[in-house]
Amino acid sequence: MLFDHPDFDDHEQVIFCSDPSVGLKAIIAVHSTALGPAAGGCRMHPYASDAEALTDVLRLSRGMTYKSAVAGLPLGGGKCVIIADPTNPQKPEILRAFAAHVQSLAGRYWTAIDIGVGPEDADIMAERCDYIFCRASQYKPGFNPSNFTALGGFVGIKAVAEASLGRADLQGLRVAVQGLGATGFALSRHLHEAGAKLVVADVRSDVVDRAVAEFGATAMAPDRIHSADVDVFAPCALGAGMNDQTIPEIKAKAICGLANNQLAENRHGEMLRQAGIAYVPDYVVNAGGIIGAATVIFSEPSRAASVKQIEGLKETIKDILNRAAFEQKPSSEIADAMALERVTS
Ligand code: NAD
């Protein structure tokens, strides 16, 4: 079931964690520690099946290895998923019980926030574990470390606008943002301030109303936003949004968003290339979060240093897009090769 799983990629360790006394069911995947301790967030989601959770954690942990490698961080890749509804009133107990499992790995794996687990939850895990980053208590009140990720998204859109759309600035650029959560909303603010015209969608009407009011955005149905008549599509919700059904409907000439695992399958990278759509690989553009937040693992955190490093993603992204165009290969393949070269050298 595990070793022949299609998403098993010689992960170093996959750990199944259980504590029936609080209803904990979780999986930790340590994909690689070749470049440093594995790092990656903790997702809490009511998966429909254990198999779905396993697929998610295997794919996400591999993505973390590649993300940190391309970003030049001294970190490996790991991730964990807790199979639970984040609105469960037992959430703090589940998080504490889970944190004890992370502690048992003695620093081979550091965890943090992801969907369903926020900076305050990271503080709860830190009660039982020394290997937690992205804690609310590490930041000034009100600062959300997802802002680092959003800044990376903004930098990425500037990169693809220059490299693939021939635009020197974002004035009047039409961008469709799918998902207005911690990353998508902050990205929308950056884009609005830079003069972009926004089309937005979310399953929550309150955040859509806010984006319409604050940014003059146009609202669109969540299941149609990928087909918006825009220059750039920015997926910032769940993964697998690029698939056989959606790709033929995409009108944007570029895709640059912050969601993880945007391609339903690797072959969709080639499908995007053939459709003439410049795709900024998800794990490259959404590295801002790990760049900004994970510095506590290996050095003193400095906001200014993190912002500078996140702004450096622009050259990396332009390099990937230019190489993809020159070699007539999918940008996802170019990024994977770059990551593997760093992990194995
Ligand atoms: P979030 O939970 O704060 O926001 C996600 C938003 O998407 C929510 O507002 C939700 O209502 C909306 N949504 C859900 N389903 C939707 C649909 N079908 N159509 C439109 N909107 C929908 O999450 P986030 O922290 O903004 O993360 C978004 C994505 O970015 C995730 O894939 C996450 O793994 C990835 N990511 C986040 C970070 C970070 O720093 N937060 C870092 C790297 C990657």
Side-chain angles (χ1 to χ4, degrees):
M1 172 174 175
L2 178 62
F3 294 114
D4 57 4
H5 191 288
D7 293 300
F8 180 70
D9 180 49
D10 290 330
H11 289 65
E12 288 179 17
Q13 271 181 300
V14 180
I15 301 132
F16 295 84
C17 314
S18 158
D19 187 338
S21 69
V22 295
L24 171 72
K25 277 173 75 180
I27 313 172
I28 301 171
V30 175
H31 177 254
S32 168
T33 56
L35 295 179
C42 172
R43 178 170 294 191
M44 187 180 278
H45 184 69
Y47 291 95
S49 66
D50 297 355
E52 198 186 287
L54 179 63
T55 298
D56 213 22
V57 78
L58 291 176
R59 295 192 74 192
L60 289 165
S61 57
R62 174 179 176 273
M64 289 308 300
T65 300
Y66 283 40
K67 182 185 305 201
S68 287
V70 172
L73 296 172
L75 294 173
K79 199 90 182 183
C80 61
V81 295
I82 300 178
I83 305 169
D85 188 328
T87 61
N88 184 333
Q90 286 264 79
K91 185 178 182 184
E93 281 316 310
I94 294 173
L95 289 171
R96 287 187 190 101
F98 173 69
H101 286 273
V102 179
Q103 179 71 10
S104 74
L105 295 175
R108 271 178 63 74
Y109 170 59
W110 284 67
T111 197
I113 62 171
D114 197 80
I115 293 174
V117 177
E120 287 77 16
D121 298 320
D123 269 316
I124 292 174
M125 291 196 281
E127 292 170 18
R128 298 279 169 85
C129 180
D130 301 324
Y131 309 106
I132 307 290
F133 61 103
C134 268
R135 286 177 274 132
S137 59
Q138 289 175 290
Y139 303 101
K140 287 197 180 127
F143 180 79
N144 188 325
S146 300
N147 290 345
F148 289 126
T149 313
L151 175 63
F154 180 57
V155 166
I157 290 178
K158 287 198 279 192
V160 74
E162 273 178 39
S164 308
L165 306 178
R167 314 254 322 205
D169 62 40
L170 304 190
Q171 194 66 41
L173 188 82
R174 298 165 307 155
V175 185
V177 181
Q178 178 185 46
L180 293 167
T183 58
F185 201 89
L187 171 64
S188 298
R189 185 181 304 285
H190 282 296
L191 292 168
H192 170 65
E193 287 170 359
K197 299 266 165 273
L198 298 175
V199 180
V200 297
D202 198 292
V203 289
R204 285 176 47 193
S205 59
D206 58 330
V207 284
V208 172
D209 292 347
R210 265 186 67 201
V212 170
E214 290 184 32
F215 312 139
T218 304
M220 196 163 169
D223 61 344
R224 298 306 307 155
I225 185 86
H226 64 276
S227 66
D229 188 8
V230 291
D231 302 301
V232 180
F233 174 43
C236 300
L238 296 175
M242 251 57 83
N243 54 48
D244 293 338
Q245 251 187 324
T246 55
I247 293 173
E249 298 179 344
I250 294 173
K251 298 189 189 76
K253 284 282 160 243
I255 295 174
C256 180
L258 298 165
N260 276 313
N261 294 340
Q262 292 172 26
L263 303 178
E265 294 172 43
N266 283 347
R267 67 184 173 83
H268 292 116
E270 173 61 11
M271 202 167 158
L272 287 172
R273 189 189 76 79
Q274 284 185 8
I277 299 170
Y279 169 62
V280 180
D282 45 17
Y283 65 77
V284 180
V285 63
N286 71 22
I290 191 101
I291 293 172
T295 34
V296 287
I297 300 176
F298 52 82
S299 69
E300 282 295 308
S302 149
R303 178 82 58 90
S306 295
V307 166
K308 192 163 174 233
Q309 202 175 352
I310 293 167
E311 286 172 345
L313 287 173
K314 188 173 177 191
E315 287 315 306
T316 306
I317 291 168
K318 284 171 67 176
D319 184 31
I320 290 169
L321 293 171
N322 290 336
R323 275 170 63 180
F326 182 73
E327 295 179 26
Q328 298 191 15
K329 285 186 179 161
S331 53
S332 46
E333 200 177 306
I334 300 287
D336 285 359
M338 195 183 264
L340 273 178
E341 198 182 304
R342 291 190 183 165
V343 172
T344 53
S345 65

